[in-house]
Amino acid sequence: MELLDLRKDGIDIQKQIPLSKYTFTKTGGPAEYLAFPKNLDELKKLVQVTREKNIPLTVIGNASNLIIRDSGIAGLVIILTEMKKITVKANTVTAEAGARIIDTAFTAARAGLSGLEFAAGIPGSVGGAIFMNAGAYGGETQNVVQSVNVLTRDGEFKTYSNKEMNFSYRHSLVQDNKAIVVS
Ligand SMILES: Cc1cc2nc3c(=O)[nH]c(=O)nc-3n(C[C@H](O)[C@H](O)[C@H](O)COP(=O)(O)OP(=O)(O)OC[C@H]3O[C@@H](n4cnc5c(N)ncnc54)[C@H](O)[C@@H]3O)c2cc1C
């Protein structure tokens, strides 16, 4: 199967799309392929085809910590902003990776939950915040994360505990194993 064949499954995937439209700096060249999966099933299918066809894969959140070169990015770029659901149950907030960390912080505050105040000015996604262990004003993502759901590059869904995430200053496990944070 070719990447563009996934359109038949309703997946939003296009060829040669300028990334400048999606980056915080409004700069950057084209993605060879660009996809916006709407759910885990679509994401898994995309990852599967890149594996089968040996196509390079880059995942982007809100592109607020990236400078993309003018020549663009070869292979498939996945932007997760269509996966942005945030739910609150008792004292736990669950946020999909494409949700903005700012929206997540405000949702928590509206539910009377503290802890994410530090993130109220960080212009990234939840996935990007976890990848970077983003922090500000003495707060850090690792202080509020209970667990992280990922899709591995082998196409397997896994849940890592906070401890397994190996958080340290602006670092987390997914920088090393290239897993895709899904929520
Ligand atoms: C004005 C401004 C203020 C900022 N203030 C702060 C601050 O106070 N504190 C701070 O820590 N940072 C800050 N940043 C940096 C940035 O916002 C954070 O690093 C943020 O966490 C990046 O998230 P993003 O979704 O934009 O990631 P992106 O820029 O899209 O990606 C960054 C990296 O994360 C990876 N990534 C993104 N999503 C996923 C995912 N779902 N799964 C796996 N990997 C993923 C990408 O591959 C890439 O390597 C600031 C940036 C700007 C422009």
Side-chain angles (χ1 to χ4, degrees):
M1 181 182 286
E2 302 298 325
L3 271 175
L4 291 181
D5 292 339
L6 290 171
R7 283 177 175 167
K8 281 194 237 121
D9 296 339
I11 298 181
D12 179 359
I13 178 162
Q14 300 164 68
K15 219 176 162 185
Q16 289 298 335
I17 301 298
L19 288 166
S20 52
K21 198 172 153 197
Y22 304 102
T23 55
F24 188 86
T25 55
K26 302 292 172 219
T27 60
E32 188 178 356
Y33 296 92
L34 177 63
F36 292 87
K38 293 179 283 301
N39 52 49
L40 293 177
D41 187 45
E42 291 190 359
L43 179 64
K44 191 171 176 173
K45 282 181 181 157
L46 287 160
V47 170
Q48 216 162 353
V49 175
T50 58
R51 250 179 55 235
E52 282 165 14
K53 299 278 175 190
N54 218 6
I55 296 169
L57 170 61
T58 306
V59 177
I60 289 181
N62 250 12
S64 68
N65 211 33
L66 292 175
I67 303 286
I68 293 169
R69 63 172 82 89
D70 290 345
S71 56
I73 301 181
L76 174 66
V77 175
I78 291 179
I79 298 188
L80 286 176
T81 48
E82 292 303 308
M83 291 172 60
K84 55 173 188 243
K85 208 180 303 153
I86 307 170
T87 53
V88 183
K89 206 169 170 192
N91 287 348
T92 303
V93 178
T94 303
E96 288 187 323
R100 291 175 355 127
I101 191 76
I102 292 176
D103 293 340
T104 312
F106 277 89
T107 302
R110 275 194 297 271
L113 301 174
S114 69
L116 258 184
E117 294 85 350
F118 74 87
I122 299 178
S125 67
V126 166
I130 287 169
F131 180 94
M132 293 297 300
N133 186 20
Y137 308 113
E140 264 188 324
T141 304
Q142 67 170 332
N143 299 342
V144 293
V145 167
Q146 221 165 57
S147 59
V148 176
N149 296 315
V150 304
L151 178 62
T152 67
R153 292 294 175 116
D154 294 332
E156 210 186 325
F157 289 109
K158 272 191 179 174
T159 301
Y160 294 123
S161 67
N162 179 304
K163 193 161 173 240
E164 287 171 319
M165 283 300 293
N166 276 340
F167 287 117
S168 58
Y169 184 77
R170 302 295 173 262
H171 174 267
S172 75
L173 172 73
V174 292
Q175 290 178 20
D176 304 324
N177 70 6
K178 310 287 180 218
I180 300 168
V181 174
V182 296
S183 62

